[in-house]
Amino acid sequence: SCPYSCYCLHEAAKYEKKVMVLDFVTPTPLGNSWGLGGTCVNVGCIPKKLMHQAALLGQALEDSRKFGWQFTEEVKHNWMTMTESVQNYIGSLNWGYRVALREKKVTYENAYGEFVGPHTVKATNKRGVEKLYTAERFLIATGERPRYLGIPGDKEYCISSDDLFSLPYCPGKTLVVGASYVALECAGFLAGLGLDVTVMVRSILLRGFDQDIANKIGEYMEGHGINFIREFVPIKVEQIEEGTPGRLKVIAKSTKGNQIIEGEYNTVLLAIGRDSCTRKIGLDKVGVQINEKTGKIPVNDEEQTNVPYIYAVGDILQDKLELTPVAIQAGRLLVQRLYAGATSKCDYVNVPTTVFTPLEYGACGYSEETAVEKFGEENIEVYHSHFWPLEWTVPSRDNNKCYAKIICNIQDNERVIGFHVLGPNAGEVTQGFAAAIKCGMTKEQLDSTIGIHPVCAEVCV
Amino acid sequence: PVLLLEPVPQNPGPQNEYDLLVIGGGSGGLACAKEAAQFGRKVAVLDYVEPSPQGTKWGLGGTCVNVGCIPKKLMHQAALLGSALKDAQHYGWNIAQPVHHTWSLMAQAVQNYVKSLNWGHRVQLQDKKVKYFNMKGSFSDPYTIRGLTKAGKEVSCCVISAILPVCSQIAGALEYGITSDDLFWLKKSPGKTLVVGASYVSLECAGFLTGIGLDTTVMMRSIPLRGFDQQMASLVTEHMESYGTKFLKRCFPTKVEKLESNRLQVTWKNTDLGTEETDSFDTVMWAVGRAPDTEALNLEAVGVKTNSETGKIVVDASEATSVPHIYAIGDITEGRPELTPTAIAAGKLLAQRLFGQSSELMDYDNVPTTVFTPLEYGCVGLSEEMAVRCYGSDNIEVYHAYYKPLEFTVAERDATQCYMKVVCLREREQRILGLHFIGPNAGEVIQGFALGIKCGATYPQLMKTIGIHPTCAEEITKLHITKRSGLDATVTGC
């Protein structure tokens, strides 16, 4: 289970329902595992943001010299110091969740749950001991795990984000395979910590995101020393030398022809997508339909599967967003509907998000291409601007790389339907604008709002 | 700080050279001038900087660019980077001690950037065909400005500065003290500094001086950040205290003397203890308020009304003064927020009304702002006490939370004062009256929400907004503990 289910359980327990949570982490191919809290806490948002912060601080160090701070020229980063601190913090969160569940009298078992029949689940713990449990209702929140390439050497020698955040040695020269936000965020902070990083991309960057911005992100990363190999996919990974890290040879083939290239790296990080953990939990035994191709579970707007007493939330849902706050909101509202007579449903429209690449990207609403597709080019207006954060002037850094754009629907009073900002603290900037979009803001209201000076966000008003 | 003249058809004076004369080349003046020029008007800007008592002067751009927002935020950033250096060690960066800060390196970098902005403004005016005069003068009659060049020649236009830091009246204050006008242009480190005042200017300056490693003390006569939400103001000063800034509360200075060592000896009265105390400092900075220099403008001669208490120019909703063709915007106007963005917006709208067929008036409600103290404070709308005063405490609901920025965890930083609250009406719709946030990047956090408030955001709409994870701002969308409930408002969990 994942943090959102914890919130569900808190809610349910509030209404004095007897609640149990089964959480189990199947170790990664390299044997890695973690505690209670799910992806976000252990191998997602939290360690990601902390390591991103470590990289940003590296940049801050360099900036600080221009602001008058003096210290030795040579500054090196120690991977172990960082990872230990991050893991300690995660450990405190795992502990915090266990305490919270106990306080709310939610029964927790560190066991693998699977359906064996109507209203019945079998829980198998680490030692193989099996127990059966029955319940009136069930919530599936099993999340996803990183996908592997299915090529020789992938499971033996490559790591994934499931391994990266607790890697007990510095990854060294790294090849990141993939173009997802996971790939770019990881490549970004690894480079920021001083490592030699290459990203191998099959086709486009950040599929599903505004492509104009995705390209700007790629350009920025390239301009900051990250190598990109475009339109290639790995076909084999071989070990040249064992070690922590060792040395690996990667053989890759062009997607456009027969060209083969080779490269040597200390670490290969696969970030090519995630698969739902829905195939081995006995859903067939209770008749829950899943999308056979993707493994995702279709639900109605009340998070109910085709089996009335079985619900699902989070990354495993079909056609919903894979985000922690969405899952939390959905879970909380679900429980309020089931046990407190509430009627509010989770609002999946205009959910804001942020990609924590070295140049951060915050977005809410339509990308430019989907807006054009849905409303027609003549019916939308795009207002945009480059900007230079004041804090980057003194260190003479990256003039004209930051960018903001707002997409308006001309036919609906120039209502703002898309908000995009590329720049520092993009998440902090975007959050408030997401609230304003929820209030139906128009371009006129945007124009009449006074800016706070001097901050980056004022470029948007 | 701007006074504007527009042409009147039956002008009794000589043929007007300009359609618009802008006095004051600051945020408001430049914005108005450039906007008017867009409409094809003949515009001139008059800007002159009277040197400070310590002899400091600067170029085109006004307070914000030269001795306000810009250098302030850059020096604030220098201080924040000092904290970043400490944090970095927790995140694995090995920085050999010692680490120290050199004032002159920072000051030069900041001053160079400001000078580039001065230049940029001059180029912009040129590009827009706005005439610029670096001249000072006053009204000689309602349609004419008498200008004096540095050489004392009379010309037909003139320039004046806006509001200036007020200096204390006590012995030695003027001779030995500096103000914010001087601080940003100092070539040498101010050293051990006493900042007198409780304004945001005082706290922001004391904050960054502390952050770059200087021994800094703030002397306050009474409450900090008058006019701001007082609960938030206390959290700001509490944080500064734990950050290392010393506070002399409920004290006021009685004299400043120069010692043989060239240090300054300050004597003050402690109103709580009734005692007189003394200490020596390298620098004493007055941050006890700002006031307009309207006498120099000779406004009385042309009948422009000013507020007898503050000296500021009285204007109506369309920024008109008591004289029909003279307008005023910016810090010099009575009852308006003293903020760059409001001056800019007012200036643009004024030009659009005068020359562009617009009738849109400036909306001064719900203007967001941020105090750039070491732990920043951003806000929009009403303070809690103002909301209580307007609506009664039974009719408002305050949702609040203490939170810990994720980045503080590994850095082992104290988040005791990281706090936020939203003040709403209690009745059905629960419209948001005010939003207050203390934490890193407060300005970035508040900006978008200010927009929401302009759209009439309600508490339910805030709750329907999904958070961005992990950020500080997302906690605003999760506020659910009311002050009324008395429950612990500390956010837990991931």
Side-chain angles (χ1 to χ4, degrees), chain A residues 3 7 40-41 45-46 48-51 53-55 57-61 63-72 74-79 81-82 85-86 89 93 97 192-194 324-326 328-329 332 345-354 356 362-363 388 390-391 393-394 424-436 438-442 445-461, chain B residues 64 69-75 77-79 81-85 87-103 105-106 109-110 113 117 211-213 339-342 345 360 362-363 365-370 372 379 406-407 409-410 437 440-452 454-458 461-478 480 492-494:
Chain A
Y7 282 85
C40 169
V41 165
C45 325
I46 299 300
K48 174 269 296 288
K49 189 92 190 299
L50 289 170
M51 294 198 176
Q53 175 69 353
L57 286 171
Q59 180 70 76
L61 288 183
D63 285 356
S64 75
R65 297 186 206 271
K66 298 284 173 64
F67 279 89
W69 290 96
Q70 296 187 289
F71 47 93
T72 63
E74 195 168 326
V75 175
K76 282 210 137 51
H77 184 260
N78 184 314
W79 174 270
T81 307
M82 173 185 73
S85 300
V86 170
Y89 177 63
L93 292 180
Y97 278 118
L193 299 177
T324 285
V326 171
I328 293 179
Q329 181 86 310
R332 185 174 268 143
K345 300 186 197 170
C346 187
D347 187 350
Y348 290 99
V349 172
N350 289 328
V351 173
T353 183
T354 296
F356 294 98
W388 197 19
L390 181 62
E391 291 76 6
T393 57
V394 161
N425 304 301
E428 307 293 0
V429 172
T430 303
Q431 182 70 87
F433 285 93
K438 191 71 49 183
C439 301
M441 76 154 155
T442 60
Q445 287 167 319
L446 190 83
D447 287 345
S448 72
T449 301
I450 301 290
I452 296 171
H453 185 68
V455 300
C456 294
E458 67 178 314
V459 73
C460 303
V461 297
Chain B
C64 168
C69 326
I70 301 297
K72 175 267 298 286
K73 188 94 190 299
L74 288 171
M75 293 197 175
Q77 174 70 355
L81 287 172
S83 293
L85 283 169
D87 287 355
Q89 323 227 34
H90 292 272
Y91 279 88
W93 291 99
N94 294 324
I95 305 167
Q97 298 302 313
V99 173
H100 64 93
H101 185 264
T102 303
W103 173 274
L105 287 176
M106 172 185 74
V110 171
Y113 178 66
L117 291 182
I212 59 176
L339 296 168
T340 283
T342 49
E360 193 186 337
M362 175 69 187
D363 183 358
D365 274 338
N366 291 322
V367 172
T369 185
T370 298
F372 293 98
C379 59
L406 178 63
E407 291 75 10
T409 57
V410 164
F437 174 91
N441 305 302
E444 309 293 4
V445 170
I446 291 287
Q447 183 70 85
F449 288 101
L451 186 41
K454 191 129 295 235
C455 302
T458 63
Q461 280 172 318
L462 198 64
M463 289 303 106
K464 274 183 88 177
T465 306
I466 306 261
I468 297 172
H469 188 66
T471 61
C472 296
E474 67 175 310
E475 299 300 336
I476 294 180
T477 65
K478 290 150 72 177
H480 63 284
T492 51
C494 93

Side-chain angles (χ1 to χ4, degrees), chain A residues 11-57:
Chain A
E11 287 290 326
K14 236 165 59 176
Y15 304 111
E16 290 178 12
K17 296 296 171 179
K18 284 177 66 187
V19 187
M20 165 180 237
V21 64
L22 298 172
D23 185 60
F24 190 84
V25 180
T26 305
T28 71
L30 294 174
N32 209 16
S33 175
W34 49 85
L36 180 62
T39 298
C40 169
V41 165
N42 294 287
V43 288
C45 325
I46 299 300
K48 174 269 296 288
K49 189 92 190 299
L50 289 170
M51 294 198 176
H52 171 63
Q53 175 69 353
L56 290 180
L57 286 171

Side-chain angles (χ1 to χ4, degrees), chain B residues 4-7 19-20 32 36 39 41 318 324-325 327 347-359:
Chain B
L4 315 168
L5 306 179
E6 63 143 341
D19 295 318
L20 181 69
C32 189
F39 293 108
R41 295 296 178 159
S318 67
H325 64 286
Y327 300 82
K348 284 195 184 142
L349 288 176
L350 176 61
Q352 286 166 13
R353 287 195 305 274
L354 293 178
F355 307 115
Q357 327 296 334
S358 164
S359 55

Side-chain angles (χ1 to χ4, degrees), chain B residues 294-295 297-304 306:
Chain B
T294 42
E295 261 181 53
L297 276 164
N298 201 19
L299 295 177
E300 260 186 45
V302 290
V304 171
T306 58

